[in-house]
Amino acid sequence: MTWVIIAVLVVGFLIWFSFNPNAQRIRKIQSLLNKDRTICDFINTFDGWKIEPNLSSDKGLRIMINPVVMPMYALYITYKERRPTNDEIKVLYNRLTSKDSIVTKAHEMDMPVENYIHWLKNNVE
């Protein structure tokens, strides 16, 4: 009987985690970083946001990067030198994925964010 209760609790937690909106935002940010590492430089330009490779996990949000040709490694996202709250992650997610975001526009043109910014500078002037 206790095994059934434990199994139900574990399944309930997995369902909650799978449909948790903040977990989905974090997975989307992770997916964006896996697709285009130049987004890290773009995030570092946001006021208070920083992505660092070497930090303890209690000071930042740990994002695992899984490149195709290299082993997995961790990047840590911080906001004002601390771990971002759920609301702050939501703001970062919206800044990266909104229709008017540079990230969205760059990926629609199938180019990294860094190249898109360079392209914008050359075509606007």
Side-chain angles (χ1 to χ4, degrees), residues 53-70:
N54 300 320
L55 202 69
S56 64
S57 60
D58 61 333
K59 292 186 180 180
L61 176 64
R62 183 177 183 184
I63 301 286
M64 295 303 295
I65 303 300
N66 189 14
V68 176
V69 294
M70 297 175 11

Side-chain angles (χ1 to χ4, degrees), residues 16-81:
W16 173 81
F17 185 75
S18 296
F19 295 107
N20 181 344
N22 211 46
Q24 290 177 348
R25 289 183 193 107
I26 292 169
R27 284 193 294 272
K28 177 64 176 181
I29 293 170
Q30 179 180 12
S31 173
L32 287 171
L33 291 175
N34 271 324
K35 179 178 181 181
D36 181 5
R37 231 56 58 25
T38 63
I39 294 174
C40 295
D41 297 331
F42 183 63
I43 291 173
N44 284 335
T45 65
F46 295 161
D47 188 35
W49 289 96
K50 191 136 182 101
I51 294 186
E52 301 178 71
N54 300 320
L55 202 69
S56 64
S57 60
D58 61 333
K59 292 186 180 180
L61 176 64
R62 183 177 183 184
I63 301 286
M64 295 303 295
I65 303 300
N66 189 14
V68 176
V69 294
M70 297 175 11
M72 283 180 71
Y73 61 94
L75 290 176
Y76 297 92
I77 300 176
T78 60
Y79 182 68
K80 296 185 178 178
E81 311 231 352

